[in-house]
Amino acid sequence: MRRTASATAWVAGAALALAAFATHAVPRVPASDDEVVETLPVVAGWSGEQRRLRRELAQRPNDEATAIAAASTYLDLAREQGDARYAGYAMGALQAWDATPPARIPPAVLVMRATVAQFLHDFDGAEATLRMALARRPNDAQAWITLATILRVRGRYNESDAACRSLGRSGPAFYGVACLAENAGLRGNHADARQALQALLADPALRDADKAGTRQWLLTSVAEVEELAGRQAEADAAYRKAVAAQRSGYLLLAYSDYLQRAGRHAEIPKLLANEARSDAVLLRLAIAGAAARDKRAQAEADELRQRFEAAALRPGTTALHAREEAMFALDVQNNPKRALELARLNLRLQREPIDFLVFARAASAANDTTARDEVKALMQQIGLKDARVDATP
């Protein structure tokens, strides 16, 4: 049960980005059957088990367990590769229920649909689908944690708290405590959040090797709380422990952003060296290269610009990329006015700390006093407290 869009989706994730084609080419007809049109990339983690699931799904598309397992596999690939096409495949794995009235769709299928919608930033659709599932199966822990995450991402902390409490009643209390602790950290109750998360980490059961992912999740959450509190050394220590426990895409992006803010640009390429070249990864590499004035990083910047331009050709997608494009405009293209425009658009969709921080930095770089007041007012409205935004001139 790891967050995805909250990137904090982490799931994120974090937990976070739609990939686009780098070029827009004219269709070409091969001269013969022997001509290679395109060599598809090797997909990391495409195991024999995953291929078996695909075969079983083709044979039994109406089997609930098989369809959900296949959809989960595709969604994992979408997160790992930063490629939204796999999220489309995940939805396709559930297509046997496309014509079925919602009241007759299995609740587990609804939860899976909502999880994919969350990844694609369709938060309204995901929330509505989750509430339909919970109306029929109110003790679904996965539905509650997903709903709590979506509400948190939207800045609706009180509603997220209620979902966290329902999670604690529906599943292991462990997850409910962690869920509430994350919300406490966002509100500025840093000591309470830190204490709760550290108490969970102290559980001897988490020392087992198979609990590395859980330790990483909790340590990442601790690091984020420390950043909100302005305790940079403590945040760095928690991030390092999280990386040592188990690497994940969301964690590495979050730590890269921390390193960027700390001026440790040279550490970022090594940290991300083995990651798939998703939009989010390319963005961090381009920002690090620009900050270090490394001419070799121009390739990442050019590739990312082409991806954004290609994505812009598809109607209605600008808001989905707005956070990443705002960061690109601000930290690579040195265009604070454009960054501010995109950051404002992004805040209409999602309200995580990074979204406010990007807005605040863009407002400062653009010397826009009205925008600086705007971000502070909106943070006060939802109850978010972030020392990093407060420190932004």
Side-chain angles (χ1 to χ4, degrees):
M1 296 182 191
R2 185 64 175 115
R3 57 189 183 229
T4 54
S6 65
T8 50
W10 163 163
V11 182
L16 305 183
L18 299 176
F21 294 109
T23 58
H24 186 64
V26 177
R28 177 172 62 84
V29 179
S32 72
D33 291 343
D34 295 329
E35 182 177 350
V36 176
V37 176
E38 180 181 7
T39 300
L40 297 177
V42 175
V43 178
W46 195 270
S47 66
E49 173 65 17
Q50 290 164 334
R51 289 191 290 272
R52 181 190 63 78
L53 275 174
R54 292 179 65 194
R55 291 193 298 270
E56 288 192 6
L57 180 65
Q59 296 168 358
R60 298 182 296 162
N62 296 305
D63 183 77
E64 178 182 338
T66 300
I68 291 173
S72 297
T73 293
Y74 281 126
L75 188 56
D76 286 343
L77 286 169
R79 292 168 180 155
E80 292 168 8
Q81 303 294 319
D83 191 335
R85 288 176 295 180
Y86 292 115
Y89 299 157
M91 281 296 194
L94 306 173
Q95 65 183 344
W97 292 273
D98 283 355
T100 305
R104 295 174 55 192
I105 298 176
V109 172
L110 290 174
V111 174
M112 192 67 237
R113 277 187 177 178
T115 305
V116 179
Q118 178 197 21
F119 174 82
L120 294 171
H121 290 188
D122 177 13
F123 299 126
D124 289 338
E127 180 182 347
T129 302
L130 287 168
R131 292 194 184 280
M132 281 192 290
L134 286 165
R136 294 167 53 198
R137 194 161 70 178
N139 291 324
D140 190 320
Q142 184 62 53
W144 282 120
I145 188 61
T146 307
L147 180 59
T149 299
I150 290 171
L151 294 169
R152 179 185 301 128
V153 169
R154 306 305 293 275
R156 293 156 58 186
Y157 301 150
N158 289 339
E159 294 174 75
S160 182
D161 281 347
C164 292
R165 295 188 185 98
S166 294
L167 167 65
R169 292 190 294 269
S170 303
F174 178 97
Y175 292 104
V177 172
C179 186
L180 288 168
E182 291 193 40
N183 289 349
L186 293 168
R187 288 191 177 96
N189 300 327
H190 305 126
D192 291 344
R194 184 184 306 114
Q195 182 178 0
L197 293 169
Q198 294 288 8
L200 294 176
L201 280 163
D203 186 343
L206 290 189
R207 297 172 188 167
D208 295 343
D210 63 349
K211 296 297 191 298
T214 301
R215 291 198 305 276
Q216 179 255 105
W217 162 43
L218 293 172
L219 287 164
T220 303
S221 297
V222 170
E224 292 174 331
V225 168
E226 300 294 20
E227 283 208 85
L228 290 168
R231 290 160 45 103
Q232 300 309 310
E234 290 81 358
D236 187 35
Y239 275 129
R240 287 179 177 277
K241 289 179 181 178
V243 171
Q246 185 179 86
R247 298 165 74 91
S248 75
Y250 174 80
L251 164 62
L252 297 181
L253 292 176
Y255 192 30
S256 295
D257 289 343
Y258 167 85
L259 294 172
Q260 185 67 41
R261 288 187 289 270
R264 294 158 57 184
H265 319 297
E267 297 178 44
I268 296 174
K270 182 178 180 181
L271 184 68
L272 300 178
N274 296 322
E275 295 302 294
R277 291 173 67 84
S278 66
D279 290 359
V281 168
L282 279 176
L283 174 62
R284 272 67 181 188
L285 293 173
I287 292 175
R293 301 182 184 278
D294 186 348
K295 294 182 179 180
R296 293 173 297 178
Q298 187 60 44
E300 281 86 4
D302 289 342
E303 181 178 351
L304 192 57
R305 176 182 52 77
Q306 290 173 348
R307 290 190 185 188
F308 286 145
E309 290 174 354
L313 298 175
R314 300 196 300 272
T317 62
T318 302
L320 301 182
H321 301 267
R323 177 200 290 170
E324 287 74 24
E325 287 200 61
M327 294 169 68
F328 185 68
L330 181 62
D331 294 317
V332 179
Q333 296 180 315
N334 193 27
N335 187 345
K337 184 176 180 180
R338 174 62 175 162
L340 183 57
E341 175 186 337
L342 289 163
R344 180 178 281 112
L345 175 64
N346 177 57
L347 274 177
R348 297 175 188 169
L349 179 67
Q350 53 188 353
R351 295 177 174 181
E352 296 187 79
I354 188 175
D355 302 308
F356 286 96
L357 184 56
V358 172
F359 193 167
R361 292 181 56 238
S364 177
N367 196 27
D368 190 324
T369 303
T370 300
R372 286 200 293 265
D373 293 340
E374 182 181 345
V375 69
K376 292 177 181 178
L378 186 53
M379 286 177 62
Q380 184 175 15
Q381 176 185 326
I382 70 171
L384 172 63
K385 295 184 180 179
D386 189 337
R388 298 168 301 179
V389 175
D390 293 341
T392 302

